Amino acid sequence: MHLLLAFAPFIMFVLIERLAGIPAGLAAGAAASAFLVIRDLLTPGRGIKLLELGTFFLFGLLTLYALAFNPPWSIAAVRLRVDAGLMLIVLASLALRQPFSLQYARDRVDRVHWDSPAFLHVNYVISAAWAIAFGMLVLADIVMAYVPVLPHAAGIVVTVAALYAAGWFTGWYPEQYRVAERT
């Protein structure tokens, strides 16, 4: 559940962007991200999560850019930038050897397991699955933004399928790994 809450800024962006336009949607995403970062700062025993901090900077910088320069972005072009930024955050977490899912998994698992090779492996695989899903979103966004002859519905289907698959895999893989490890 905590991992899904990390996507609240993206949900806020989509909802507000539809109602009030791109700059307002970006600002709503930044505000939701700020809320999550502040919540983590003020909650004893919690630390700031890389995904939430990265999302705050992503939405904050895109908001400032949109307000300062009023770029002629289509909704698909903005989503491309948002999804590409999200993918880069996840890839950076892997490159820094701190897969983003690790911070959420530690909230649910006893401290004794945190440094186990199996726990680390599972979180690398889950984070990589999310990176692939976000890569699919980026490809769908590119198609929606720059190939107008293709129906947008195809990009939306790819987006929903990729996010659903990553969410399902996140719940499914840890148990499958444990079962495989026992045999």
Side-chain angles (χ1 to χ4, degrees):
M1 180 63 174
H2 289 123
L3 179 58
L4 295 178
L5 186 60
F7 295 109
F10 299 92
I11 295 166
M12 290 298 297
F13 161 69
V14 169
L15 293 174
I16 301 303
E17 169 269 315
R18 291 273 181 193
L19 297 171
I22 291 170
L26 292 169
S33 300
F35 172 80
L36 293 174
V37 170
I38 292 167
R39 177 204 61 181
D40 287 345
L41 277 172
L42 298 178
T43 303
R46 289 185 78 118
I48 296 175
K49 295 185 173 45
L50 178 64
L51 180 63
E52 293 166 3
L53 187 61
T55 299
F56 171 70
F57 283 113
L58 172 66
F59 277 113
L61 292 173
L62 285 172
T63 301
L64 292 175
Y65 185 84
L67 292 173
F69 299 105
N70 194 25
W73 289 336
S74 66
I75 293 168
V78 174
R79 288 185 183 167
L80 170 60
R81 285 155 177 81
V82 169
D83 292 339
L86 184 56
M87 182 182 71
L88 290 174
I89 292 167
V90 173
L91 290 173
S93 79
L94 289 166
L96 294 170
R97 298 185 171 272
Q98 289 297 314
F100 87 96
S101 66
L102 193 62
Q103 293 174 312
Y104 298 94
R106 285 181 174 159
D107 287 345
R108 299 172 35 144
V109 174
D110 290 333
R111 183 177 282 276
V112 69
H113 301 290
W114 288 8
D115 295 324
S116 78
F119 182 71
L120 295 172
H121 173 81
V122 165
N123 279 282
Y124 272 103
V125 172
I126 288 172
S127 292
W130 280 99
I132 292 167
F134 296 137
M136 296 300 296
L137 268 65
V138 168
L139 291 175
D141 293 336
I142 289 170
V143 169
M144 288 190 291
Y146 301 109
V147 186
V149 296
L150 293 176
H152 280 243
I156 293 168
V157 167
V158 169
T159 297
V160 170
L163 292 174
Y164 176 81
W168 175 83
F169 184 81
T170 299
W172 174 83
Y173 183 71
E175 183 58 33
Q176 295 305 308
Y177 185 82
R178 279 190 285 278
V179 168
E181 199 175 48
R182 285 186 220 134
T183 59

